[in-house]
Amino acid sequence: MALIVQKFGGSSVADVERVMNVAAIVTDTYRKGNDVVVVVSAQGDTTDDLIEKAAEINPKASKREMDMLLSAGEQMSIALLAMAIEKLGCPVVSLLGWQAGMTTDSAYSKARIKKIDTSRIIAELDRHNIVVVAGFQGLNKYDDITTLGRGGSDTSAVAIAAAMHADRCQIFTDVEGVFTADPRKIPDAIKLKEITYDEMLELATLGAQVLNNRSVEMAKKYNVELEVLSSLTKVPGTVVKEVTKMEKMLIRGVTKDTDVARIAVTNIPNTPGIAFKLFAKLAQKKINVGIILQSVGRDGTKDITFTVSKDNAEAAMEAVGNIFSIEESNIACDTNVAKVSVVGAGMESHPGTASRMFEALYEQNINIEMIATSEIKISVLIDAADADKAVEAVHKAFFEERK
Amino acid sequence: MALIVQKFGGSSVADVERVMNVAAIVTDTYRKGNDVVVVVSAQGDTTDDLIEKAAEINPKASKREMDMLLSAGEQMSIALLAMAIEKLGCPVVSLLGWQAGMTTDSAYSKARIKKIDTSRIIAELDRHNIVVVAGFQGLNKYDDITTLGRGGSDTSAVAIAAAMHADRCQIFTDVEGVFTADPRKIPDAIKLKEITYDEMLELATLGAQVLNNRSVEMAKKYNVELEVLSSLTKVPGTVVKEVTKMEKMLIRGVTKDTDVARIAVTNIPNTPGIAFKLFAKLAQKKINVGIILQSVGRDGTKDITFTVSKDNAEAAMEAVGNIFSIEESNIACDTNVAKVSVVGAGMESHPGTASRMFEALYEQNINIEMIATSEIKISVLIDAADADKAVEAVHKAFFEERK
């Protein structure tokens, strides 16, 4: 007998049939003798519909009232799921975020969990109830409802699993697990049995939208064993855990991110503090920067090239223009780029990873515009038109022998 | 400066336009220097839609989970109304039932308010906020959400007005007030300026569906001055308060109730306790009885005739059949009947009221099947086909001279 936390996203409970399907998964787990805590998001498009409704009334509504509004979405889904579980004959109780003891700070719409008082959950498990908890929501010190922001239900689930010392936290999605590449595009993509937290973090950041990043960070911090799996097929998913004896794989996956703009600033006077001023300004405007490259240009001037997401490109260009008294022709923005990356803790001890990746690209005649590396990741910036071809080639180079 | 509680029903906030209209009424009242507490129901058909959704998943869902589900309806409407008030530039905060300190017993789906801890409402008013409270809902001693049942938002409003010693509790509806008869049917119907609690209670019971009965009882108990008025027209409504110096009117209104079934039991052996057994059985089956008449029949046997609502008729017939070992031919049920009543505290001191009513019916050749009276009410049971004609004739008899 184990304590299992199961999290189901909005699409998993979008309609009556899917709610019943989730109830079947939950009651199956319960009937095998496990204690089960279920964390659930709002049904399907509920949250988007509510946001739209609010915008019609007041596009500048306060975040406190938005949180009051949106948290109703999960309230409805926990009640409906509890009813479905009742129908399948298991004892169940639904709990709102605050009833489950979820305390957050007061940053409405993107609150952070501060503490979980698990006494109510424990009491309900002691009564042999399945406990269905509303994800995405908590209560601040003023007794007001907060939401954790998009993807917050993952965080709720991991936080509860951590606080309850659960044996496993299962994140059910509409994919079967974490793949070595996007299986819709690369038919040879392999589902990973296991992956480390750090690898998962790099993959999540790089556009493999399976798990919310904050939840993986939290899982790593509290050593919560995660499993990503599908609510529609009954096959094991991918387990995310601390590295121990994992199957030997050089890399875990190849990802593509097309939401990238490259900004190149050339001919910057070579005075101290230039990079500091630039990136401080960007940080102040809350613009996240991806890859940064600095090189020495002509006549001892500097060139700085960096990437931002596409919707930040204009603001970043403006910030750069405000700082440097240089000609406009020296600031260039290119949005026709894509970032292709390989991720894997195994590459640390394999110096050949980068060269194998670059060789694969070279064979396809793909030009590399920028390169950035970390201990477990190699990213290259290439022409957006080459992105899919690049992923295919790189994936083949690393995984062909496994097939 | 006064403290005003304003309650708006679901149809008053059914769409964006109506929400904005309610926000205008509320902010008008606030800008005149009043403290304002607003109690609001779920939007339009939200509650019915949620009930339908639940029925699809589990028609036998527990009442606890139903209350969890339904209370989300008011949560959405308070947030949206607060956003609309923000848009009109007034400070506002929305509160759920439990945040507003509403404690109830644990009778899910029909909970009764036990206590209101007004500290949060007071604190928000001290901060000069308009306070928007979710009607219909509260919290029981297990920290679980309860609902007060249909019409519960009226009760929430009156309870808050009582606990806060509000100067007035305004119940906004889609009618302009309480009329002497249904204005859609009787063009001569007059809007009452004032009415006593008891008169309002009789009218509510008799089918004038303006105010929820429990809320009127509570208003009477705590001496809360009510006003029934329209959210669509800006005219004074009807004030419901303890009798003082009211305008002189013999009766306050004429009502019709067609949801009546008459059950006649004849030839009952004349033994003691017969009536007790019969009505104890009906009470046990939670069947409400309206008019009761008992008379001596042939050969010293008894006849008992009583009325119930139509959907209870079958169960009542069965209960009667189980008690008496009498022939079936002696139990008769007639659903083609209607109850027409006149209500007014003034009739107590005017013995001619009954005869004036009966005369009006006689002139229209309408046969009276049963008569029941209280201090402030006279009801007659007549053929359903005559009901509208009867209301018109009786209304004319009492109100013609006022036109």
Side-chain angles (χ1 to χ4, degrees), chain A residues 16 43 53 56-58 61-62 64-65 68 71 75 83 86-87 93-94 99 120 142-144, chain B residues 16 43 53 56-58 61-62 64-65 68 71 75 83 86-87 93-94 99 120 142-144:
Chain A
V16 172
Q43 286 191 291
K53 221 168 177 176
E56 274 182 62
I57 286 176
N58 183 357
S62 69
R64 179 194 184 274
E65 299 301 338
M68 176 68 94
S71 58
Q75 180 163 346
M83 291 172 188
E86 284 175 350
K87 193 177 186 180
V93 67
S94 70
Q99 290 175 317
R120 175 79 190 259
Y142 307 111
D143 267 2
D144 284 340
Chain B
V16 173
Q43 287 191 291
K53 220 165 177 177
E56 273 181 64
I57 286 176
N58 184 355
S62 70
R64 179 195 184 276
E65 299 302 339
M68 177 68 95
S71 58
Q75 180 163 346
M83 291 173 188
E86 285 175 351
K87 192 176 188 184
V93 66
S94 70
Q99 291 174 315
R120 175 79 190 258
Y142 306 112
D143 268 0
D144 283 340

Side-chain angles (χ1 to χ4, degrees), chain B residues 309-365:
Chain B
S309 66
K310 278 186 173 131
D311 58 349
N312 278 330
E314 208 174 319
M317 290 285 283
E318 203 183 301
V320 172
N322 286 344
I323 294 174
F324 303 116
S325 51
I326 49 180
E327 285 168 38
E328 262 186 36
S329 62
N330 288 331
I331 309 175
C333 176
D334 185 357
T335 55
N336 275 322
V337 290
K339 184 161 65 177
V340 171
S341 311
V342 295
V343 171
M347 71 173 65
E348 272 190 284
S349 47
H350 283 73
T353 311
S355 66
R356 200 195 287 193
M357 183 186 189
F358 300 158
E359 185 186 9
L361 295 171
Y362 168 72
E363 278 170 4
Q364 297 295 322
N365 210 19

Side-chain angles (χ1 to χ4, degrees), chain B residues 30 49 92 109 127 130 140 161 166 219 244 246 264 291 316 326 371 399:
Chain B
Y30 176 81
D49 290 348
V92 62
S109 85
R127 285 183 205 113
I130 294 170
N140 67 17
T244 47
M246 286 204 179
I291 302 173
I326 49 180
I371 300 171
F399 293 100

Side-chain angles (χ1 to χ4, degrees), chain A residues 209-226:
Chain A
Q209 285 152 359
V210 181
L211 273 179
N212 172 266
N213 241 4
R214 256 165 78 189
S215 61
V216 180
E217 280 165 18
M218 190 181 281
K220 183 186 176 188
K221 185 171 173 188
Y222 295 102
N223 202 20
V224 173
E225 192 172 297
L226 291 178

